[in-house]
Amino acid sequence: MNEVRDVIIIGSGPAGLTAAIYAARANLRPLLIEGTEAGGQLMLTTMVENYPGFADGILGPELIGAMRSQAERFGTEFIQANVESVELSSPPYILRTADEEFRCRTLIIATGASARLLGLPSERHLMGHGVSTCATCDGFFFRGKPIAVVGGGDSAIEEALFLTRFASKVTVIHRRNALRASKIMQEKAFENPKIEFRWNAVVEEVKDVTRGRVTGLVLRDVLTGELSELEVDGLFVAIGHTPNTSLFAGQLKMDANGYLITHHGTLTNVPGVFACGDVQDPVYRQAITAAGSGCKAAIDAERYLEHVMVEGLARGSSIHPPPTTSSLS
Ligand code: NAP
């Protein structure tokens, strides 16, 4: 309980697990706190075909399982708990779960972002079986098939445009009669012959749970209340992402959408606190980019610790106020 760990990692998606592999191999004995949604968004996908090294693809949960075993093999300690509060005002940093308190010299935040969902039971049921939140990951499976995208922002339009490379037809379902997406994206979508729009419509149900795959959607016109059916083989939900950062409110700098702001790779505004993966990346959001930034975070933490140790020894103390971030750049 009183031990001050060199590195604690919060989050167990590709960013957190890669940070753990690198930190463990640097003999930093990382402790990784896995949340209740252990493994992150990859646990919601089926086949991952764009992660380098897997020529025939790999199932999302299998990829996470392999990363976890690799981190464990080098000595990462895992704890299943939700971090409920953090104190980042001065080192050692303090993390509290329901039952325990942890202290650390460096903290790597890899809490990810959660794709917003419509909240339908059928959507949850068919996630990874025709329902997806990532066109880059799953678009390929819908070659020559009709699909739908729900949402009216830049993500939805970007995904719809991307999906026209594979799908026979893409229907964008939007709850209003005007898109939120930037004008240039709108123009591209309106010009694309494969994209159709269903305005003022919401998805009431994804069919067909009994068959274990997507066969169509029940739509409701929000103005008239009228129900209709749309035959599709896939549904991409693109109504935004929520970065998992509420824990750090008031302590770490965030952008207007709640993403942690990092500079020089993974440095946050608090020295010794690093962020990697989707929690600081509203743009790329890929497993491979998350893993890459997890690697960077571990290297940044290692260098920071070396710096603190050298300065601490020079001044005769073991825990010392951290250097400014500029000294790490
Ligand atoms: P967003 O801008 O918040 O748009 C979310 C869309 O989903 C909105 O059209 C919203 O409808 C709709 N929506 C939200 N909840 C819904 C629900 N429960 N049911 C049905 N529809 C719902 O999110 P985003 O598109 O992910 O973009 C996030 C940020 O990233 C934005 O700043 C965006 O510009 C940026 N981004 C940029 C690019 C790019 O430049 N290439 C690409 C992707 C994202 P309403 O319009 O009615 O609110």
Side-chain angles (χ1 to χ4, degrees):
M1 175 89 81
N2 288 322
E3 182 191 4
V4 179
R5 316 273 314 208
D6 276 334
V7 183
I8 293 184
I9 299 161
I10 319 178
S12 54
L17 291 171
T18 305
I21 292 166
Y22 274 77
R25 284 178 54 81
N27 275 342
L28 296 174
R29 295 176 48 248
L31 171 71
L32 188 148
I33 306 181
E34 311 182 89
T36 43
E37 286 175 37
Q41 293 182 64
L42 275 187
M43 301 302 279
L44 298 176
T45 57
T46 47
M47 193 57 87
V48 179
E49 292 195 321
N50 54 8
Y51 200 90
F54 298 93
D56 300 320
I58 182 167
L59 292 171
E62 256 178 47
L63 180 58
I64 286 295
M67 288 184 187
R68 196 182 186 284
S69 306
Q70 198 175 352
E72 208 162 22
R73 182 178 141 220
F74 294 115
T76 303
E77 199 182 318
F78 289 86
I79 283 186
Q80 277 96 34
N82 268 337
V83 177
E84 294 185 349
S85 69
V86 296
E87 270 178 43
L88 307 178
S89 50
S90 61
Y93 303 121
I94 299 171
L95 284 68
R96 293 195 184 88
T97 65
D99 311 313
E100 279 180 275
E101 183 177 293
F102 301 94
R103 298 190 300 154
C104 57
R105 294 180 184 87
T106 67
L107 174 64
I108 296 179
I109 299 168
T111 47
S114 306
R116 278 187 223 135
L117 296 175
L118 300 169
L120 305 168
S122 52
E123 170 195 45
R124 209 358 92 205
H125 234 91
L126 294 170
M127 184 62 68
H129 299 276
V131 177
S132 169
T133 54
C134 177
T136 321
C137 318
D138 299 327
F140 190 77
F141 301 115
F142 298 92
R143 202 169 273 280
K145 297 187 171 157
I147 55 177
V149 174
V150 61
D154 277 321
S155 294
I157 301 307
E158 193 172 74
E159 302 233 330
L161 287 164
F162 177 77
L163 289 165
T164 57
R165 295 183 198 183
F166 312 103
S168 56
K169 186 171 115 183
V170 179
T171 306
V172 175
I173 300 160
H174 186 34
R175 63 184 177 182
R176 294 186 294 128
N177 65 357
L179 295 174
R180 178 181 294 279
S182 55
K183 285 282 174 278
I184 189 158
M185 300 280 278
Q186 295 196 23
E187 275 167 27
K188 279 189 193 165
F190 293 143
E191 281 166 11
N192 193 310
K194 277 194 180 178
I195 298 182
E196 282 183 15
F197 288 86
R198 288 292 290 265
W199 302 108
N200 301 311
V202 291
V203 179
E204 284 282 289
E205 190 193 339
V206 189
K207 292 179 106 171
D208 185 344
V209 170
T210 52
R211 292 166 73 181
R213 64 182 178 87
V214 174
T215 59
L217 306 173
V218 178
L219 302 182
R220 178 171 54 84
D221 186 308
V222 293
L223 302 178
T224 63
E226 196 181 314
L227 296 179
S228 60
E229 287 207 14
L230 179 70
E231 259 183 44
V232 287
D233 286 47
L235 172 67
F236 287 81
V237 182
I239 59 172
H241 284 77
T242 308
N244 300 316
T245 54
S246 53
L247 199 53
F248 313 106
Q251 303 193 66
L252 294 179
K253 282 192 184 154
M254 300 176 194
D255 70 13
N257 294 315
Y259 286 88
L260 294 182
I261 295 174
T262 51
H263 56 104
H264 291 97
T266 68
L267 281 64
T268 69
N269 58 300
V270 174
V273 178
F274 306 90
C276 53
D278 287 12
V279 74
Q280 50 85 61
D281 172 18
V283 180
Y284 300 103
R285 299 196 293 237
Q286 300 300 300
I288 186 67
T289 51
S293 75
C295 158
K296 288 185 193 173
I299 292 174
D300 288 342
E302 188 189 353
R303 289 185 182 159
Y304 172 88
L305 285 166
E306 269 171 21
H307 192 109
V308 170
M309 291 300 281
V310 170
E311 284 221 339
L313 287 176
R315 297 190 197 187
S317 72
S318 54
I319 290 197
H320 189 267
T324 59
T325 48
S326 60
S327 62
L328 288 167
S329 57

